[in-house]
Amino acid sequence: MADAASPARTRVAIFISGRGSNMAALLYAAALPDAAYDVVLVATNDPQAEGLALAEAEGIPTFALSHKGMSRADHDAAMDEAARKAGAEFIVLAGYMRILTEGFTRQWQGRMLNIHPSLLPKYPGLDTHQRAIDAGDSHGGVSVHLVTPELDAGQVLAQMKVAIRAGETAESLAERVRFAEHQLYPRVLNDYLRMQR
Ligand code: GAR
């Protein structure tokens, strides 16, 4: 496997809020010899986030700071400082369920990606799977996009469609969409980082 400190790799920080399955997919993809990035930090706004324990077990530096009782700007500033201290060049949002301040998104514009569980521009925001089912869509899916100040509206880098079956529930669709996410996100991140060089 590749040397984790390889200088040819871009240093990325992953932000999570929960389970961290996309974080896990990104971490293990970074262990492949031809990966374009190293994960130098996993940061979260929820000290109880399930993904945090996995990152720690895998020896990745972590930063956890609850947003509760803090202004959005102060919390973003603390996350920004943690990412910079870790030497991150890019931020990868992986189920980070916080709306970011305009200042933060401008600081990282072009260097911050997000994964969203719908075929954008359809269904920005929450409850994406239920909204796709309720609309009678034949497919849900996932989008990887650049983050801009407007929520879920930055340039889409790639999408993957996931069929909606008869009798589908939001939970069953979410589970299958996650399989698609785990394929798509590391691939798109690798391709995007290589394009930036
Ligand atoms: C993923 O499905 C991701 O697309 C979604 O949260 C889930 C996180 O799962 N993100 C958003 O809804 C962002 N608006 P994970 O913690 O298992 O990676």
Side-chain angles (χ1 to χ4, degrees):
M1 289 292 132
D3 172 7
S6 164
R9 293 174 171 221
T10 303
R11 298 164 66 88
V12 308
I14 302 178
F15 284 13
I16 65 169
S17 293
R19 167 191 341 229
S21 71
N22 279 284
M23 175 210 77
L26 291 161
L27 278 187
Y28 297 128
L32 293 171
D34 60 347
Y37 63 94
D38 283 324
V39 179
V40 296
L41 181 73
V42 168
T44 182
N45 64 308
D46 180 357
Q48 306 305 319
E50 205 182 320
L52 196 61
L54 174 62
E56 283 165 1
E58 293 292 357
I60 308 295
T62 60
F63 176 77
L65 177 66
S66 172
H67 60 274
K68 290 180 187 155
M70 289 183 82
S71 74
R72 201 172 286 281
D74 285 351
H75 190 265
D76 279 5
M79 296 292 283
D80 178 75
E81 190 186 347
R84 288 176 196 280
K85 272 192 177 157
E89 300 162 277
F90 280 73
I91 290 178
V92 181
L93 305 180
Y96 187 62
M97 304 307 278
R98 296 276 300 158
I99 293 176
L100 297 162
T101 53
E102 180 169 349
F104 185 90
T105 57
R106 292 217 184 282
Q107 287 288 338
W108 290 92
Q109 198 154 328
R111 298 183 298 127
M112 180 158 56
L113 277 63
N114 182 42
I115 191 156
H116 182 76
S118 79
L119 298 171
L120 291 169
K122 278 190 163 182
Y123 317 129
L126 299 175
D127 296 326
T128 56
H129 306 302
Q130 193 60 54
R131 288 155 73 196
I133 292 166
D134 291 348
D137 292 355
S138 63
H139 289 78
V142 52
S143 305
V144 175
H145 66 93
L146 293 173
V147 179
T148 55
E150 198 186 336
L151 182 69
D152 299 331
Q155 182 194 341
V156 172
L157 300 176
Q159 294 183 314
M160 197 177 274
K161 288 165 74 177
V162 173
I164 296 178
R165 301 171 302 181
E168 194 87 74
T169 64
E171 291 71 31
S172 65
L173 181 57
E175 188 183 348
R176 244 170 29 265
V177 165
R178 265 197 301 275
F179 289 129
E181 292 184 337
H182 300 167
Q183 297 296 319
L184 190 67
Y185 211 3
R187 173 73 69 94
V188 176
L189 178 60
N190 275 309
D191 289 352
Y192 184 73
L193 294 176
R194 288 199 177 97
M195 266 172 27
Q196 304 306 304
R197 288 175 182 166

